[in-house]
Every structure is written in C-alpha cells, then in structure tokens.
Amino acid sequence: MTVMSAVTSNTEVQTMKAIAQTVYGGPEVMGLVEVAKPTPQETEVLVKVRSASVDAGVWHLMRGTPFLIRLIYGGLRRPKHPILGSAIAGEVEAVGADVTQFQPGDRVFGDLSESGFGGFAEYVCAPETAIAAQPTNLTAEAAAIVPVSGVSALQALRDVGQLQPGQRVLIIGAAGGVGSFAVQIAKALGAEVNGACSAHKTDQVQQLGADRTLDYSDPALTQPDQPYDLILDTAAYRDFADYLPALKPGGTYVMVGGSTAAFFRAMLLGPWVGKRRDRQVKCLAAALNQADLLTLKTMIEAGQVTPLCDLTYPLAQVPDAIRAIEQRQVVGKVAITL
Ligand SMILES: NC(=O)c1ccc[n+]([C@@H]2O[C@H](COP(=O)([O-])OP(=O)(O)OC[C@H]3O[C@@H](n4cnc5c(N)ncnc54)[C@H](OP(=O)(O)O)[C@@H]3O)[C@@H](O)[C@H]2O)c1
C-alpha cells in the first residue's frame, strides 16, 4: 500500500522507513512507507529510534475514536499525524543549536504525544523536554514501553489517587500496559496491592508483586471483605458507581480509561455522585513530564519497577502489534524493534 510519498526525485533528500496512515480505520490502514528523514529545529533532538511501543492511545488515534480525540489532536476527517508512535527509546543522533541537556550518542527514552508523535519511524525529532536519559539497566525495548504507560500509572497513583504507604489499593486491568506498571509502583509506594485481570493472567500479575489477584468475575471486585482506600480503574468497562461500595468512606476511585461511555459518565457525574456517598471520583489526564520520566528511571534502576514486555514486533508489523493489544492477547506491553 502506498500511504504517502515524501520522497522526491531529488537524490539529495535522505529518507527513512516509517509506518504511516492517511485515513482513520483498523490496523490495515497502516503501511510501510519511505519518507524524508527529519531535521531538528533549534530546541529539538534528532533521535535514531531503537524501539517504540504500542498502547491503547495508539489504536484510539489510528481509528479516530472516540471522536473527541480528533478534536484534541486535530484531523477531523483524516489523521493530522500520519506517523503515530508516542513512547520511544533510542540514541541521540544530532541536536539543535539551543539544546543543552543532550548530545549525540546519548541513550534516551521519551514521550512524543505532545510533539506530534512519529515514533513508528527510523528517526524522529523531539523537544528536549520530551525525553530523558533512559534507565541504564534496560534494553531499548524495555525502555520504550515505559514513557506513556509508566508515567500514567505514576501520576494516577501518586498525584490523583494520593496513595499513602499502608493503604489498600485495587488496580483494575492489572495485566494491561498501565496496570502492569501500577501494580509495581503501588508496591514501591508501600501499598497493599490487589490486582484484577482476566483469569488466565492472574499468575503474571502475582509475579509483578500483587499481594492478591482476582478475575473480573470475582464478587470481591465490588464487595471486598475489607474495603479499599483507592481503586485505580484502567479497564472501565462497568460503571464507576458499582465500585463505590468497595471503597472506605472518604476513599478515592480514579478512572484512567476503558469504554468512552464509562469515562464520560465518571467525568460528568462522578464528583457529584461520589460526594453524596462520601467517596471521591476522579479522572486521570496524564501529561508528559520529564521529571516523572526521571522518577521512573530511578525506580527502575533501583529494581522497584521492571517493565513487562510481552511481545516484540519489527517496524513493518506495527499493525499486528496493534491487533494484539486490541484483542487482549498481551500481558504488560508490546514493543516495536527497529
Ligand atoms: N486518562 C489518561 O490520561 C490515560 C492515560 C493512559 C491510558 N489511558 C487509557 O487507559 C486505558 C488502559 O490503557 P492501557 O494502555 O493499559 O491498555 P491495555 O494495555 O490495552 O490494557 C487494558 C486492560 O483492560 C482490560 N479489560 C477489561 N475489560 C476489557 C474489555 N471489555 N475490553 C478491553 N479491555 C478490557 C484488559 O484486561 P486483561 O488484560 O486482563 O484481559 C487490559 O488489561 C485505555 O483506555 C487508555 O486509553 C488513559
């Protein structure tokens, strides 16, 4: 499939391989293309991508659903950003004149979701604030799965959920991208961790460090023996109100993601319904933050968090990687190897 052609007859133009799309749709709309290699602006770094990762946000952007995502990122009728890919790890190849933090050869990881994406390519330009030195004890594949999912888990637990040592937390979707980081980060923050996932994934969630696992059909999900201080819902496929009885008075439910309907119900009605029942209902809006990338680097180097990379695919098979995530075949994350 020819998706785009930025290659001109000018043989001076350096090119690179990328996975791109010009219309919204399923993984079949993506194809391997040859495009011009980017050049960094003054404040940008040119990264030779060693690995990128796939997360739920990628398939939302690929499909253009929910529709709101088209308003947020632009591209009402067709994708504004033909090359997706937010989370990357790689090596700095060149830096703009005003870059102060990095130099060629540095190994970095980062999140391109606020700078136009482009991670599914051999090279990408990123503002220096979007990247950080990668954890020294990780391969590029393991580092590339950290930036979006790890930062989201950290911000949901620490900032939105205000998790304290000794508290009981329930993580719903514990085998997912965000969930697999949340289990480990919650343990590192000193919590007692309960992880909910599909029945055949409970062993892996236990290995991540969960004190207890339960599958989605377990009644203890909404009626536990002992109520939770915090519920982190990364798989919101039932109504937030179902979980309120499972919280202690004053406890907090944090909606991270799931179905669009469930997310909007929690966002619009959650604060009001929660207040009436003496519970807090909050929604995460994760934001790229270089300091949080460095916090995760420290936790990873200290052995508190180990990114769980389940599958790897070459660049040309990004569509297969997205299918695997959509079809819930993955435990943890999927990485793209370049
Ligand atoms: N608000 C924010 O700022 C923010 C930031 C990051 C992500 N998100 C959102 O958070 C959600 C999770 O992201 P992720 O990257 O962790 O996704 P993921 O890797 O695909 O994980 C999703 C999890 O949802 C579980 N699940 C339960 N019922 C499901 C159903 N009916 N259909 C599909 N999955 C179901 C799956 O459980 P099993 O694996 O046990 O089968 C899976 O572990 C996504 O909706 C994403 O868009 C939001």
Side-chain angles (χ1 to χ4, degrees):
M1 177 182 61
T2 305
V3 173
M4 60 190 285
S5 176
V7 185
T8 69
S9 57
N10 179 354
T11 50
E12 298 289 308
V13 175
Q14 282 194 301
T15 65
M16 65 171 187
K17 290 187 173 51
I19 287 285
Q21 64 181 113
T22 54
V23 293
Y24 289 119
E28 67 284 354
V29 301
M30 291 186 152
L32 192 64
V33 294
E34 194 87 11
V35 296
K37 183 177 164 184
T39 309
Q41 305 291 312
E42 279 83 353
T43 56
E44 286 183 336
V45 169
L46 175 68
V47 179
K48 181 174 173 57
V49 182
R50 298 283 184 203
S51 181
S53 73
V54 177
D55 54 75
V58 169
W59 56 261
H60 287 307
L61 282 158
M62 175 188 75
R63 292 185 181 277
T65 59
F67 196 80
L68 182 66
I69 209 162
R70 304 187 189 198
L71 299 177
I72 295 171
Y73 290 102
L76 277 187
R77 298 181 58 197
R78 58 183 59 85
K80 182 177 172 194
H81 305 290
I83 304 174
L84 294 178
S86 312
I88 56 149
E91 199 175 305
V92 173
E93 177 150 304
V95 297
D98 296 341
V99 168
T100 57
Q101 300 182 51
F102 302 100
Q103 54 189 9
D106 289 349
R107 292 176 68 203
V108 294
F109 69 153
D111 177 355
L112 310 173
S113 56
E114 291 175 20
S115 56
F117 309 97
F120 298 150
E122 290 177 307
Y123 295 89
V124 69
C125 288
E128 63 174 331
T129 48
I131 59 173
Q134 80 155 66
T136 51
N137 55 343
L138 294 187
T139 61
E141 286 74 21
I145 64 180
V146 178
V148 173
S149 301
V151 168
S152 298
L154 178 66
Q155 294 180 356
L157 290 166
R158 182 198 60 192
D159 305 338
V160 186
Q162 304 267 302
L163 184 63
Q164 302 300 318
Q167 288 192 328
R168 296 190 82 219
V169 58
L170 170 65
I171 293 160
I172 305 170
V178 177
S180 60
F181 279 102
V183 168
Q184 300 182 69
I185 293 169
K187 279 302 289 181
L189 295 176
E192 180 198 318
V193 179
N194 299 265
C197 57
S198 291
H200 63 286
K201 297 180 180 176
T202 51
D203 284 352
Q204 284 109 322
V205 171
Q206 208 139 29
Q207 281 163 23
L208 287 169
D211 298 290
R212 183 181 173 205
T213 56
L214 50 170
D215 73 65
Y216 295 126
S217 63
D218 193 325
L221 205 58
T222 52
Q223 297 153 7
D225 307 335
Q226 285 179 284
Y228 305 107
D229 297 281
L230 174 65
I231 295 177
L232 195 75
D233 196 351
T234 76
Y237 292 90
R238 60 202 290 176
D239 200 86
F240 73 91
D242 293 351
Y243 294 109
L244 296 186
L247 282 170
K248 289 179 186 168
T252 305
Y253 169 95
V254 177
M255 164 77 77
V256 176
S259 83
T260 310
F263 195 89
F264 280 108
R265 269 184 61 80
M267 203 167 67
L268 298 173
L269 301 178
W272 180 73
V273 174
K275 199 170 174 191
R276 280 174 58 105
R277 300 208 208 161
D278 189 22
R279 311 290 192 270
Q280 298 187 71
V281 177
K282 300 177 178 179
C283 293
L284 171 73
L288 161 68
N289 181 333
Q290 195 185 45
D292 285 347
L293 286 173
L294 292 169
T295 299
L296 284 166
K297 170 178 156 68
T298 303
M299 294 177 106
I300 290 165
E301 289 173 350
Q304 294 176 311
V305 172
T306 304
L308 178 57
C309 183
D310 192 8
L311 301 169
T312 57
Y313 292 84
L315 181 66
Q317 288 179 22
V318 166
D320 295 325
I322 295 173
R323 275 187 201 100
I325 293 267
E326 280 193 304
Q327 293 167 5
R328 294 167 70 181
Q329 294 164 1
V330 178
V331 180
K333 299 281 300 176
V334 174
I336 306 300
T337 304
L338 282 100

